[in-house]
């Protein structure tokens, strides 16, 4: 059985926090592909980026996403850059994908100085803006639903996703 919901979005969107709370509310398990990768590699995502390079991480991520989609039936959170891989986007086709959208100000506030986030070196705000600009069209393309997170607490975001699962809005109304 495929995941009940797959969460995508940039760093700071709240995928892990929302995903854990949503899983609890729905009585299912939560899984994060970044945690899967770190567990399999025996080191942090940041260490994989530094020691093995981004391309090695992306290959691991592609495999982790494919595995999780085939054997996890709860809430699945993908790393922010997972949607960059064409094979991953194919795996997302036909799944219930929720794009947690966040604007620059809220993303920067939530990420802080970006400790532990390998792509945030140098000017954190400029890097987040660049990533948001580059990836937003891809997140929108793979999403079944788009849920705005700016200025909202976790509970209200989870409630909106739960409502969409019970009474799905037509594609044009939400994504």
């Amino acid at each position: 059985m495929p995941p009940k919901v797959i969460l995508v979005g940039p760093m700071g969107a709240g995928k892990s926090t929302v995903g854990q709370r949503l899983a609890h509310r729905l009585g299912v398990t939560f899984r994060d592909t970044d945690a899967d990768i770190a567990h399999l590699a025996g080191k942090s995502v940041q260490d994989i980026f530094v020691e093995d390079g981004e391309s090695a991480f992306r290959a691991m991520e592609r495999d982790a996403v494919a595995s999780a989609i085939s054997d996890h039936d709860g809430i699945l959170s993908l790393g922010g850059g997972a949607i960059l891989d064409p094979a991953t986007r194919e795996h997302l086709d036909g799944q219930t994908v929720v794009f947690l959208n966040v604007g620059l100000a809220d993303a920067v506030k939530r990420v802080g100085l970006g400790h532990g986030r390998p792509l945030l070196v140098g000017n954190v705000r400029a890097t987040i803006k660049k990533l948001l600009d580059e990836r937003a069209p891809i997140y929108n393309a793979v999403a079944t639903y788009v849920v705005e997170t700016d200025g909202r607490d976790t509970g209200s975001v989870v409630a909106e996703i739960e409502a969409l699962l019970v009474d799905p809005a037509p594609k044009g109304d939400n994504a």
Side-chain angles (χ1 to χ4, degrees):
M1 179 175 253
K4 189 157 188 73
V5 172
I6 301 173
L7 299 173
V8 300
M11 62 184 78
K15 299 181 297 289
S16 297
T17 303
V18 168
Q20 290 173 14
R21 175 93 59 97
L22 181 63
H24 179 75
R25 295 268 310 158
L26 297 176
V28 298
T29 58
F30 172 75
R31 186 167 170 178
D32 182 323
T33 56
D34 279 354
D36 289 351
I37 295 164
H39 178 75
L40 287 172
K43 53 187 165 185
S44 71
V45 168
Q46 186 175 19
D47 286 345
I48 296 169
F49 266 76
V50 170
E51 296 171 11
D52 306 318
E54 183 175 354
S55 63
F57 173 79
R58 296 292 176 210
M60 290 182 224
E61 184 175 53
R62 178 177 47 248
D63 293 344
V65 171
S67 174
I69 288 174
S70 71
D71 65 13
H72 179 69
D73 61 0
I75 307 302
L76 179 63
S77 172
L78 305 188
I83 46 83
L84 298 174
D85 186 90
T88 295
R89 292 195 300 271
E90 285 182 29
H91 286 296
L92 295 176
D93 189 36
Q95 305 293 326
T96 301
V97 178
V98 175
F99 167 27
L100 296 180
N101 193 22
V102 63
L104 179 61
D106 277 34
V108 169
K109 185 170 41 177
R110 294 175 189 165
V111 170
L113 295 176
H115 295 296
R117 302 198 185 247
L119 293 179
L120 292 184
V121 292
N123 184 332
V124 172
R125 186 176 180 86
T127 302
I128 291 175
K129 180 176 182 348
K130 179 178 179 283
L131 293 173
L132 290 174
D133 291 347
E134 290 173 353
R135 295 177 179 178
I138 303 171
Y139 292 130
N140 277 300
V142 301
T144 310
Y145 305 109
V146 178
V147 174
E148 301 296 332
T149 66
D150 283 350
R152 297 178 67 187
D153 63 31
T154 303
S156 71
V157 173
V158 169
E160 182 175 343
I161 296 170
E162 283 184 276
L164 289 169
L165 295 175
V166 172
D167 186 18
K171 174 92 175 170
D173 288 354
N174 196 295

